[in-house]
Amino acid sequence: MKVLFYILAACSGVFGFLALVRSVESYLAGTGMNGLMIIFAALGLGLARFWTKRARMLS
């Protein structure tokens, strides 16, 4: 079960990081900040933190 939580944390962390990179990329390109991407980034990174805490609670 612990491995599953770490896999979920990795997947959601990568998703959040890529959304954050995409948001910064669009900002630097001059098209403005995409609010939806920022929400996805916060959600993905928050879920990564949640799943990591869940995995560590099982120890």
Side-chain angles (χ1 to χ4, degrees):
M1 198 67 177
K2 189 175 185 179
V3 173
L4 175 66
F5 287 152
Y6 278 124
I7 290 172
L8 287 171
C11 290
S12 57
V14 167
F15 177 76
F17 179 73
L18 289 176
L20 184 65
V21 168
R22 177 71 177 138
S23 178
V24 170
E25 177 190 14
S26 67
Y27 175 72
L28 293 176
T31 58
M33 291 292 269
N34 190 351
L36 187 61
M37 285 294 163
I38 292 175
I39 291 171
F40 284 157
L43 183 66
L45 295 174
L47 280 174
R49 183 171 183 231
F50 171 75
W51 290 122
T52 303
K53 281 182 149 183
R54 280 292 291 256
R56 289 184 181 162
M57 281 186 350
L58 291 176
S59 294

